[in-house]
């Protein structure tokens, strides 16, 4: 039986693509090498890490600060095994949910490793080495990404002492000390988890700021907040070696701008230097599919490779490695294959760091606008001036909105604060419809809410805030 579409990979991009295509009337099959669906995100990435972030925050809050609200309890006891069981149960409910959606939408699933073996042909090899060939009109590559090491530095990851994000969500005990190599989203999120649970965490970052391409002001203020929580930072530091030493490991680094090398000992070292596209064994080179210099699959404006009928989405193609970006691409390519007009607006893709407080961003940063020579105006509002934030003792952070100086069209929004990941979306929707800061500032917001700080930042952008 021939399919209209075979999707290789069932992460957020792949499974959403398959479901959307099935909803549009296509005969769809998926190929997944794992025993469960959902890819890195649902199995060992976004979902389990958020379960641990929430659980560790509840643990930390119980032991620090709720007495100020009149809630007095004995010091909490950590049951790490139970916390990990919560994480595992969360993963199972999500991966089972994808399996249910496949059945509901009559999508055929093939367990094994997928490979393009010819025009309109894909093979699936199971764990017994048995191979079958499937015929299909279209193929979507949605195989995601894998852990990237430290450029130029050989590192042996054993997921016990020297770990990746995979080991970072599965430690059997809380280490006394942890070094995190990389000050990006993954490193700061997992570093926060283990810091809250009792580890002394040090982050070693090559750049002079954490969170790479985030707005500079946001990055600096957020770093101060994490430092107050007890996380140490070594910025502008180039790691030259990571190796086991006794029962732990040691990390050697030197200043990027020159200077003497230094070494830090730790019980556990987390390598969080980013991710790389996963395309090994897919048969893309043999099929003539062009890759770029960074190992990503090259696609045109309609997600198609240079080979007719082969498409690619998500982490294997250009753009931010974000699950929701992959999902939007999955929907768009399904629509295109079904003969509709699929589109993704890459200027309006929010990103969130799920620490406490959260950091959320959409659109341009000040640095990007300056580099592009775009005249802009800035409006800011701190949560210290927000009534709901005061009531909840969540006054850390602020909202920042950037708008075109002439037209007032909002070009970017940045939030550091409790619930930032939820609040960013009203700025996202506003930008999707080309809205102005005045549009947002004149929109009625419920009182008292944290979101009023977003409205006040918008008011500050086009005129003046009320509560400052």
């Amino acid at each position: 039986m021939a399919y209209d579409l075979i999707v290789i990979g069932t992460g957020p991009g792949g499974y959403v693509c398959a479901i959307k295509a099935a909803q549009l009337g296509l005969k769809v099959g998926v190929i997944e090498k794992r025993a469960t669906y959902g890819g890195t995100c649902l199995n060992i990435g976004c979902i389990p890490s958020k379960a641990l972030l929430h659980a560790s925050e509840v643990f930390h809050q119980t032991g620090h600060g709720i007495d100020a609200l009149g809630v007095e309890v004995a010091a909490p006891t950590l049951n790490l095994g139970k916390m990990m069981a919560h994480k595992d149960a969360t993963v199972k409910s999500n991966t089972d949910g994808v399996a249910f959606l496949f059945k509901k939408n009559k999508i055929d699933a093939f367990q094994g490793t997928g490979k393009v073996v010819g025009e309109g042909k894909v093979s699936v090899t199971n764990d017994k080495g048995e191979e079958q060939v499937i015929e299909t009109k279209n193929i979507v590559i949605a195989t995601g990404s894998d852990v990237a090491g430290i450029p130029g530095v050989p590192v042996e990851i054993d997921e016990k002492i020297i770990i990746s994000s995979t080991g970072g969500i599965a430690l059997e005990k809380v280490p006394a000390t942890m070094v995190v190599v990389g000050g990006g989203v993954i490193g700061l999120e997992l570093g926060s988890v283990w810091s809250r649970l009792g580890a002394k965490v040090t982050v070693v970052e090559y750049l002079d700021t954490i969170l790479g391409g985030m707005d500079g002001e946001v990055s600096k203020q957020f770093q101060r907040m994490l430092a107050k929580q007890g996380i140490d930072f070594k910025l502008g530091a180039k790691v030259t070696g990571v190796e086991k030493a006794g029962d732990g490991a040691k990390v050697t680094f030197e200043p990027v701008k020159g200077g003497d090398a230094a070494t830090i000992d730790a019980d556990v070292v987390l390598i969080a230097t980013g991710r790389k596209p996963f395309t090994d064994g897919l048969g893309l080179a043999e099929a003539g599919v062009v890759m770029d210099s960074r190992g990503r699959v090259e696609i045109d404006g309609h997600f198609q490779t240079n080979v007719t009928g082969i498409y690619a989405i998500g982490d294997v193609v250009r753009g931010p490695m974000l699950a929701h970006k992959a999902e939007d691409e999955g929907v768009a390519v399904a629509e295109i294959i079904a003969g509709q007009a699929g589109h993704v607006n890459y200027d309006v893709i929010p990103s969130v760091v799920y620490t406490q407080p959260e950091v959320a961003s959409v659109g341009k940063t000040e640095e990007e606008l300056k580099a592009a020579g775009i005249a802009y105006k800035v409006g800011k509002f701190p949560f210290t001036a927000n009534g709901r934030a005061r009531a909840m003792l969540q006054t850390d952070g602020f909202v920042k909105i950037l708008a075109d100086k002439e037209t007032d069209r909002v070009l970017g929004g940045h939030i550091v604060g409790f619930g930032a990941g939820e609040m960013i979306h009203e700025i996202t929707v506003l930008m999707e419809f080309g809205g102005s800061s005045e549009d947002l500032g004149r929109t009625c917001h419920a009182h008292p809410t944290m979101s009023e700080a977003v409205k006040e930042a918008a008011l500050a952008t086009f005129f003046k805030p009320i509560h400052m």
Side-chain angles (χ1 to χ4, degrees), residues 304-321:
Q304 188 166 227
T305 69
N306 61 301
V307 179
T308 302
I310 301 180
Y311 301 80
I313 59 171
D315 288 3
V316 295
V317 302
R318 60 180 179 261
M321 288 184 170

Side-chain angles (χ1 to χ4, degrees), residues 14-32:
Y15 85 71
V16 167
C17 176
I19 292 169
K20 184 65 176 181
Q23 289 174 342
L24 293 173
L26 302 185
K27 178 61 180 172
V28 182
V30 296
I31 300 173
E32 175 55 56

Side-chain angles (χ1 to χ4, degrees), residues 40 44-45 48-49 52 146-148 157 159 162-171 186-187 190 194 269-275:
T40 295
I44 55 172
S49 66
L52 291 180
D146 202 356
V147 173
I157 294 175
E159 301 298 9
I162 301 174
I163 63 175
S164 69
S165 56
T166 303
I169 60 166
L171 293 179
I186 295 172
L190 291 180
W194 295 106
V269 176
L270 168 63
I271 307 300
T273 45
R275 299 181 65 81

Side-chain angles (χ1 to χ4, degrees), residues 10-11 15 19 37-38 42 93-103:
T10 66
Y15 85 71
I19 292 169
Y37 306 117
L42 271 63
S93 66
N94 279 272
T95 56
D96 285 354
V98 175
F100 164 76
L101 290 171
F102 283 165
K103 288 181 181 178

Side-chain angles (χ1 to χ4, degrees), residues 105-126:
N105 289 281
K106 297 181 174 57
I107 295 167
D108 293 336
F110 299 89
Q111 223 75 37
T113 302
K115 181 179 181 180
V116 179
V117 292
E119 186 175 340
K121 291 183 179 180
V122 178
S123 72
V124 185
T125 305
N126 64 21

Side-chain angles (χ1 to χ4, degrees), residues 204-206 234-241 251-263:
V204 182
E205 167 57 44
Y206 183 87
K234 306 290 184 184
L235 302 181
K238 178 184 178 181
V239 171
T240 56
V251 177
T252 304
F253 61 93
E254 58 189 37
V256 172
K257 296 177 181 176
D260 295 334
T263 299

